């Protein structure tokens, strides 16, 4: 293509070599533009040479925001996806807050695309209109007749690269309501051919994770932590550690949560830690074993609940069930689970020349550690800087209410003279034995059915270790004593269930507990969907037909229609009811994080001789699928994560100490565990919803329902310890 670049335009661009266009959000939420980065932290930046950079406010742990948010800007701006770069936003909640979290910057709850969809499109559209306005003014043309295609401004018989007009556009006021493209104009949004922006750098090794960082002169610190939750370090003996090559020193952390061991390198730090003897004060530490914790939860779920979650009349529900022709009753137990991301926790802290502090971290919720470091170092917020790097997974672990590992690093750094950077490293064993866990939970459900096989009453009790109580998020999530994360997926089920009562009881936390991929839906979907199958079986009805009868019909909501839609699509694509010879099928459907997912699991073998997952057919309705390839990958990953944990995983305690230590006894899913996964995305014009977590909840119950066709109905996890062997 021949570009008509005038001499005047060339000189204008050359003279403005230091200018750049920034478009983003002001503190009041409105779009703004400027040419000085110190004045504005934008979503889209265009340098004087025409280089476009998307400022990504959600960190990248493999779930795809670096691609998704970049796609939105590229689409609206009119530049090829290959020609747009991205960088992670600085920690600044006044401009980069998560709209679902309030004044807090962070990634979680599968909200990245849902809360940023319009923001990033508007930023890209505003930049497009400003550049077009600058070109129209220069050319004496009507801006309505100009477009940007492939990074080239065209119209009025002329065309030029957008770089020519960056300087002029940077002086303009951003439009308050830029015109967004009609979906019919989309070339990138919804295009399955759009490739991930982070695939190549992760393949060739140029992508840098927090674990990869090695600063000049850095020390490595590892923490000797209490083997029992809540124990405190009372002292230590490092006589033997002094013989370890590279050992520098050790010191009790100011909060007494452990002993910081410093060395010149990671291996030296781990070896020195092994050589140190720590005296622990266990007076306030956990001392229960898993059997006791399980017994407490089961006792709570069989007693009167503390909280009536839905306000239903429990006596009336009980009477409906007692008078029913058939009663289906089950008690469920779910153990503690670790997150176990592939990259163990790590971060690095260094002092800045201006007296500030920089934290290098795969920062999932930068606002938390930002505030914590400001307090620890007694510095204003603007003196704390966070360099967000790639993270090798998280599943929720890198987003703790206490900023636990970042605080460890900060305290370890604060105890030095601060002339050398300090890199904190967790081992895999540290993560499995001393991390935050998905809480242990019990359910008890009684369902009444009449002579026609219709539900007459549903009594659902839950006993759980609350995630949110006692954290900064309590006021947001806990209402009238009820931690919604304990009952989500039951209390807000889309099934039209007559006479449903939901009760909740809290039990003492055995460990530090935390949201885990899909949070409460990890156990509530399992219970709801296995009970739906059990009830359908007792009624002598097909499980799909039984569910559809509770979703479809006169007066049904759009949400119920969408849930029914994925259920029917998964059943159709999975050839429901007609498995190949020697195979069984199970189905489950669930809404979580705004998305609707149904899965058919097809298995061979049996519980005694070994079950093999042959195929999982998934249907997902997540609104507009901005990047279908990413959506598919997240469904596949969520399915594998859910199945792997349901099959084999648990965290157990003996006298307060965690029994598992690494992947040999906390086994990740193997590639041979699932023969095939097939994902079908429902075409939609609805706003995007979550995809990082919704694939996980239906996977476990769909597998359980397939096993129950000819084997046991598994009501206690993991399956491998409760009557099921796997091939």
């Amino acid at each position: 293509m021949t570009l008509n670049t005038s001499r005047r335009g060339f000189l204008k661009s050359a003279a403005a070599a230091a200018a750049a266009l920034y478009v983003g959000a002001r503190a009041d939420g409105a779009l703004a533009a400027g040419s000085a980065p110190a004045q504005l932290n934008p979503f889209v930046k265009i340098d004087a040479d025409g280089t476009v950079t998307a400022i990504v406010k959600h960190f990248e742990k493999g779930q795809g925001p670096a691609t998704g948010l970049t796609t939105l800007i590229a689409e609206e701006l009119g530049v090829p996806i290959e020609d747009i770069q991205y960088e992670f936003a600085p920690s600044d909640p006044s401009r980069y807050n998560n709209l679902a979290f309030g004044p807090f910057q962070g990634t979680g709850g599968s909200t990245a695309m849902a809360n940023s969809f319009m923001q990033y499109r508007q930023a890209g559209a505003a930049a497009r209109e400003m550049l077009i306005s600058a070109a129209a003014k220069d050319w004496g043309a009507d801006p309505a007749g100009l477009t940007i295609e492939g990074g080239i401004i065209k119209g009025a018989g002329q065309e030029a690269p957008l770089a020519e007009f960056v300087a002029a556009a940077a002086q303009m006021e951003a439009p308050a309501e830029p015109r967004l493209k009609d979906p019919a104009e989309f070339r990138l949004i919804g295009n399955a051919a759009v490739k991930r922006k982070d695939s190549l750098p992760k393949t060739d090794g140029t992508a840098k994770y927090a674990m990869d960082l090695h600063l000049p002169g850095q020390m490595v610190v590892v923490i000797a932590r209490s083997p029992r939750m809540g124990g405190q370090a009372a002292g230590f003996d490092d006589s033997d550690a002094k013989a370890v090559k590279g050992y520098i020193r050790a010191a009790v952390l100011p909060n007494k949560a452990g002993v910081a061991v410093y060395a010149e390198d990671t291996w030296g730090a781990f070896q020195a830690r092994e050589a140190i003897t720590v005296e622990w004060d266990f007076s306030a530490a956990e001392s229960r074993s898993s059997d006791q914790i399980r017994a407490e939860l089961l006792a709570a779920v069989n007693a009167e609940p503390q909280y009536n979650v839905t306000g239903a009349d429990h006596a009336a529900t009980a009477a409906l069930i007692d008078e029913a022709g058939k009663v289906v009753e089950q008690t469920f137990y779910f153990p503690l689970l670790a997150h176990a991301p592939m990259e163990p926790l790590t971060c690095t802290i260094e002092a800045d020349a201006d007296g500030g502090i920089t934290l290098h971290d795969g920062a999932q919720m930068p606002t938390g550690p930002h505030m914590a470091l400001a307090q620890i170092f007694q510095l204003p917020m603007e003196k704390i800087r966070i360099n967000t790097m790639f993270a090798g997974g998280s599943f929720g672990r890198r987003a703790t209410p206490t900023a636990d590992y970042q605080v460890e690093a900060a305290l370890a750094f604060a105890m030095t003279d601060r002339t050398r950077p300090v890199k904190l490293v967790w081992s895999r064993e540290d993560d499995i034995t001393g991390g935050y866990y998905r809480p242990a939970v019990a359910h008890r459900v009684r369902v009444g059915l009449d002579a026609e096989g219709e539900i007459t009453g549903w009594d659902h009790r839950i006993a759980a270790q609350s995630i949110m109580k006692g954290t900064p998020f309590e006021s947001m999530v806990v209402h009238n004593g009820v931690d919604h994360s304990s009952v989500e997926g039951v209390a807000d089920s889309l099934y039209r269930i007559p006479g449903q009562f939901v009760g909740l009881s809290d039990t003492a936390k055995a460990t530090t507990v935390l949201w885990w991929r899909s949070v409460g839906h990890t156990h509530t979907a399992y219970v709801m969907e296995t009970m739906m199958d059990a009830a359908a079986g007792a009624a002598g009805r097909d499980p799909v037909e039984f569910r559809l009868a509770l979703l479809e019909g006169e007066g049904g909501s759009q949400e119920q229609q969408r849930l029914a839609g994925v259920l029917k699509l998964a059943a159709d694509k999975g050839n429901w009811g007609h498995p190949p010879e020697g195979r069984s099928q199970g189905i489950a459907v669930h809404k979580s994080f705004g998305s609707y997912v149904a899965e058919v699991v097809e298995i061979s073998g049996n519980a005694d001789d070994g079950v093999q997952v042959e195929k999982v057919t998934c249907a997902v309705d997540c609104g507009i699928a901005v990047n279908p390839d990413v959506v598919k990958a997240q469904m596949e990953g969520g399915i594998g994560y859910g199945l792997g944990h349901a099959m084999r995983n648990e965290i157990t305690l003996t006298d307060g100490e965690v029994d598992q230590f690494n992947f040999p006894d906390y086994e990740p899913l193997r590639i041979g565990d699932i023969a095939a996964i097939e994902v079908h995305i429902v075409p939609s014009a609805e706003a995007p919803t979550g995809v990082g977590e919704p694939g996980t909840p239906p996977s476990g119950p769909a597998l359980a329902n397939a096993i129950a066709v000819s084997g046991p109905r598994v009501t206690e996890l993991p399956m491998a310890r409760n009557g099921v062997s796997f091939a």
Side-chain angles (χ1 to χ4, degrees):
M1 177 184 293
T2 301
L3 302 180
N4 297 323
T5 304
S6 66
R7 179 176 180 275
R8 181 178 61 176
F10 173 79
L11 292 174
K12 187 186 300 180
S13 295
L21 170 62
Y22 294 85
V23 181
R26 298 198 307 259
D28 61 7
L31 288 171
S35 58
Q39 298 174 358
L40 187 69
N41 294 302
F43 296 120
V44 55
K45 175 177 67 175
I46 307 177
D47 294 327
D49 63 0
T51 301
V52 181
T53 303
I55 311 299
V56 176
K57 73 175 187 177
H58 296 284
F59 98 132
E60 178 66 74
K61 57 179 181 280
Q63 82 282 26
T67 302
L69 301 184
T70 301
T71 298
L72 300 178
I73 289 173
E75 181 74 84
E76 291 290 350
L77 182 55
V79 299
I81 188 71
E82 310 84 45
D83 293 347
I84 184 170
Q85 302 176 356
Y86 67 89
E87 61 187 48
F88 296 119
S91 176
D92 183 355
S94 70
R95 293 186 172 92
Y96 296 117
N97 67 304
N98 187 314
L99 302 180
F101 297 168
F104 200 89
Q105 184 175 346
T107 305
S110 296
T111 59
M113 191 59 64
N115 90 89
S116 303
F117 183 66
M118 294 303 294
Q119 246 183 356
Y120 276 71
R121 286 184 64 194
Q122 288 171 342
R128 181 191 72 235
E129 291 195 2
M130 293 161 70
L131 288 162
I132 284 176
S133 293
K137 183 177 180 181
D138 186 65
W139 294 344
D142 181 357
L146 304 184
T147 62
I148 301 179
E149 299 175 21
I152 306 299
I153 303 177
K154 302 178 180 180
Q158 300 194 67
E159 56 183 56
L162 57 81
E164 287 199 13
F165 303 101
V166 169
Q171 307 307 313
M172 295 180 173
E173 184 174 343
E177 295 184 10
R179 184 191 76 83
L180 298 178
K181 289 184 177 180
D182 185 273
E185 301 176 76
F186 289 167
R187 297 294 180 268
L188 299 174
I189 295 175
N191 187 342
V194 171
K195 303 301 182 185
R196 286 187 63 129
K197 296 291 291 182
D198 55 340
S199 291
L200 180 59
K202 287 179 177 178
T203 302
D204 65 18
T206 56
K208 297 302 179 186
Y209 293 79
M211 192 65 80
D212 295 328
L213 189 67
H214 296 281
L215 297 178
Q218 73 177 23
M219 293 184 286
V220 173
V221 65
V222 298
I223 310 298
R225 301 176 185 83
S226 170
R228 289 163 54 184
M229 295 293 171
Q232 292 195 323
F236 66 91
D237 180 357
D238 68 342
S239 301
D240 293 339
K242 292 176 181 177
V244 175
K245 182 180 179 180
Y247 173 66
I248 299 173
R249 62 187 287 261
V252 175
L253 291 172
N255 60 5
K256 301 187 184 301
V259 176
V261 181
Y262 303 80
E264 296 293 345
D265 54 43
T266 304
W267 180 246
F270 283 144
Q271 292 297 103
R273 183 175 65 175
E274 289 295 316
I276 287 177
T277 301
V278 182
E279 179 185 352
W280 296 107
D281 176 3
F282 292 133
S283 58
E286 177 60 67
S287 61
R288 292 175 293 169
S289 295
S290 291
D291 288 347
Q292 183 180 351
I293 295 164
R294 178 180 178 277
E296 291 174 1
L297 282 160
L298 292 176
V301 85
N302 282 289
E304 285 299 308
Q306 287 177 277
Y307 307 105
N308 182 332
V309 178
T310 56
D313 185 334
H314 180 237
T317 296
L320 289 170
I321 297 171
D322 291 339
E323 296 166 2
K326 293 182 179 179
V327 176
V328 181
E329 182 173 357
Q330 298 284 359
T331 299
F332 298 80
Y333 180 73
F334 301 87
L336 297 164
L337 290 174
H339 302 77
M342 286 296 107
E343 180 193 26
L345 300 172
T346 182
C347 62
T348 302
I349 294 184
E350 64 175 329
D352 297 329
D354 65 356
I357 298 291
T358 292
L359 170 70
H360 305 273
D361 182 30
Q364 184 167 350
M365 287 191 175
T367 301
H370 198 149
M371 296 172 66
L373 266 62
Q375 182 176 357
I376 290 170
F377 294 105
Q378 293 295 290
L379 290 171
M381 290 285 282
E382 59 269 19
K383 286 288 189 178
I384 304 295
R385 303 167 184 95
I386 297 181
N387 172 33
T388 296
M389 307 181 72
F390 283 112
S394 171
F395 313 114
R397 180 59 185 91
R398 299 180 194 276
T400 64
T402 57
D404 67 311
Y405 70 96
Q406 296 102 333
V407 167
E408 282 184 346
L411 293 176
F413 183 67
M415 291 191 295
T416 71
D417 63 8
R418 307 182 191 180
T419 59
R420 299 179 64 181
V422 166
K423 179 177 183 176
L424 172 76
V425 177
W426 282 50
S427 67
R428 178 76 58 207
E429 291 80 5
D430 290 337
D431 177 54
I432 299 295
T433 63
Y436 284 60
Y437 305 116
R438 196 282 305 271
V441 184
H443 291 241
R444 178 171 176 259
V445 186
R446 296 180 72 234
V447 179
L449 298 166
D450 63 18
E452 285 72 42
E454 302 291 342
I455 294 175
T456 61
W458 186 295
D459 183 352
H460 200 134
R461 319 282 187 87
I462 302 172
Q465 302 166 341
S466 171
I467 294 173
M468 301 297 181
K469 288 185 177 181
T471 76
F473 297 96
E474 181 171 355
S475 62
M476 298 168 55
V477 181
V478 178
H479 302 291
N480 299 320
V482 175
D483 182 342
H484 182 68
S485 71
S486 297
V487 298
E488 60 186 359
V490 172
D492 52 4
S493 171
L494 292 178
Y495 290 121
R496 290 194 294 267
I497 301 175
Q500 185 181 32
F501 170 84
V502 180
L504 172 68
S505 296
D506 290 332
T507 62
K509 302 176 185 181
T511 64
T512 42
V513 296
L514 187 64
W515 36 74
W516 186 92
R517 192 172 189 171
S518 75
V519 201
H521 298 284
T522 62
H523 52 89
T524 60
Y526 190 96
V527 175
M528 290 298 297
E529 290 303 294
T530 56
M531 285 302 296
M532 278 293 162
D533 254 45
R541 295 164 65 181
D542 175 76
V544 172
E545 180 271 325
F546 188 78
R547 288 172 170 84
L548 289 174
L550 298 172
L551 293 171
E552 296 184 317
E554 187 176 349
S557 67
Q558 184 188 34
E559 289 182 301
Q560 290 169 325
Q561 293 170 14
R562 293 176 74 179
L563 194 64
V566 294
L567 178 60
K568 289 188 285 189
L569 180 60
D572 176 55
K573 297 297 185 181
N575 199 27
W576 174 255
H578 304 283
E581 183 70 25
R583 296 187 182 183
S584 301
Q585 294 175 320
I587 197 165
V589 62
H590 195 72
K591 179 193 176 186
S592 63
F593 307 95
S595 293
Y596 309 80
V597 179
E599 295 167 14
V600 175
V601 170
E602 187 173 287
I603 64 171
S604 62
N606 57 61
D608 293 328
D609 300 327
V611 169
Q612 172 65 51
V613 178
E614 298 289 352
K615 184 179 181 181
V616 181
T617 304
C618 170
V620 54
D621 180 348
C622 58
I624 296 172
V626 175
N627 299 118
D629 186 56
V630 172
V631 173
K632 179 182 177 183
Q634 287 302 294
M635 290 300 110
E636 292 170 341
I639 289 166
Y641 195 74
L643 287 180
H645 284 84
M647 289 162 67
R648 300 190 182 96
N649 289 153
E650 63 180 336
I651 291 292
T652 58
L653 306 178
T654 299
D655 298 329
E657 294 190 23
V658 175
D659 299 316
Q660 293 71 28
F661 74 100
N662 205 315
F663 288 151
D665 55 6
Y666 194 84
E667 186 178 351
L669 187 81
R670 305 293 183 177
I671 195 167
D673 285 329
I674 306 175
I677 299 177
E678 188 177 281
V679 178
H680 301 274
I681 303 171
V682 175
S684 177
E686 299 292 333
T689 48
V691 297
E693 295 166 277
T696 296
S699 59
L703 173 60
N705 291 336
I707 292 170
V709 170
S710 60
R713 182 162 296 285
V714 184
T715 58
E716 185 162 344
L717 297 181
M719 293 176 174
R721 272 178 44 91
N722 291 281
V724 181
S725 64
F726 291 95

